[in-house]
Amino acid sequence: MMRTMNLIFIVLFFLVSLIYGCESSPKYCSGTDKSAGADFHLPQAPNIVLLYYGVWPDGPRDWTEDKLIYYLAYYQTIDGRPQPVDTLFDTVLCMYLRSSRGRTFEEGTPTTASAQPDWQECLDRLFLPGRQLNALEKTAADLQTELHRPMKINVILTLPYPSPQITDWSEDSDENSWNFYLYDEHRFSAIKWFATQALDRWNQAGFKHLELLGFYWFAETHTNRRPAKDFPDKNDRNNLNLMRDTARYIHSLKVNGHPLTLTWIPCRPFGDYYLPVVQELLADEPAQRIDYLMIQPNYFFPRFKLTKDDLHKICRNAGSVGSGIEIECNDTLFDDPNQQQKLLDYLAAPPTLHPHWNEVPMGCYQGSWTIYEMATRPQAVCYYDKIYQFVKSRRDNLSH
């Protein structure tokens, strides 16, 4: 009898722990989302590559299959030609950086912040035939055949930042003539407009090899540049409440039966003196929590004049609050041994200094097409190999 009672107690304790453990987790519980069917898993530790598209001064920058193959799969030269031998990044973050009229999708200035025409262009270019998402779908389908395994790529779409520099979002229409400088309600309305438009197009596209994971909050800091003279309340001079409202809204949306998520990759100070902001957002109640948060060390970029000790500090601090980390590189490494060493430092530091490295998201900033260039330049392919081993190690360790 006593053994039976003990067994009942243990089972009840396990069930209660499971329920409340999910509720108190700093991110969605990994595993199957029952409302989404048996096949879908919200990833606990996605390996995310950032892919920028848009219109640069020298013309459009789009993603096509010939480049995407080296991001979704790991290629080796076999019998004189490149062949896929394994998967690489499981998640793609699509980021629209610059519109055809030179507007930016980050903070910007009164003359460079993006408005409704730019947000519309962002959507139009995202769903271009043979580019961006459609190219990603075709690439995944072809790789499924070549690798003889199912290919399902998670996709995160970027929410253009509703900059308070904008005082008339629609510019030439009475409809949606929103003033982002004065009203966060107007900023939130624009976010909902964009998410609704994006979801409508996504559902119409009927992708079979892409899974919409959620949206990305673009601004790299939590402040919004509103001046204290006009906004004495400090809460009006940061985006935290708007970010929470956005998280609640995004979590209320579903695609294929599963809830969408919100991702954020703040800049280096959030691994240092702004670390409490990261801790606060990750520990927030589930409905308004940032699901996938990674800190940028910014160590790779010479203009910041950071040392390896700075990188290590970011890794330790991120680990202390359960945040992920962004790995960073760009084309400067091809001709600069110092930049090459910095990439190697990135690949070495998180696994040794972050106590939960295989359980948090990882982002990979790679300039424009740096990983593609690595994979196709014989003198640089060793770095492509190292990035693959880095991602594979995370994947293997998480599965264990």
Side-chain angles (χ1 to χ4, degrees), residues 63 307 340 351:
W63 285 92
T307 67
Q340 294 164 10

Side-chain angles (χ1 to χ4, degrees), residues 23 27 55 76 79 85 107 120 134 154 174 178 181 190 227 292 309 362 372 377 381 389:
E23 197 64 23
K27 49 189 168 292
V55 184
Q76 289 183 328
D79 296 330
V85 297
E107 175 65 43
Q120 186 67 57
N134 283 295
N154 297 315
D174 291 336
W178 293 323
Y181 182 75
Y292 301 116
D309 287 341
M362 184 275 291
Y372 163 75
R377 292 189 186 191
V381 74
Q389 291 296 337

Side-chain angles (χ1 to χ4, degrees), residues 268 271-272 275 295-300 306-320 323-328 341-355 357:
R268 184 191 61 81
D272 194 356
L275 188 66
I295 298 170
Q296 305 174 32
N298 297 150
Y299 164 67
F300 186 84
L306 300 174
T307 67
K308 189 190 294 189
D309 287 341
D310 294 315
L311 171 65
H312 291 177
K313 180 180 180 180
I314 295 292
C315 292
R316 292 190 185 96
N317 285 348
S320 72
S323 168
I325 296 171
E326 179 181 82
I327 307 303
E328 297 160 323
Q341 183 57 51
K342 285 183 178 181
L343 175 59
L344 299 181
D345 294 341
Y346 271 97
L347 301 182
T352 56
L353 300 174
H354 193 305
W357 177 238

Side-chain angles (χ1 to χ4, degrees), residues 52 106 216-222 264-267 270 296:
Y52 289 91
E106 298 178 274
Y216 171 67
W217 180 268
F218 208 146
E220 296 182 354
T221 184
H222 68 306
W264 189 39
I265 312 178
C267 55
F270 288 84
Q296 305 174 32

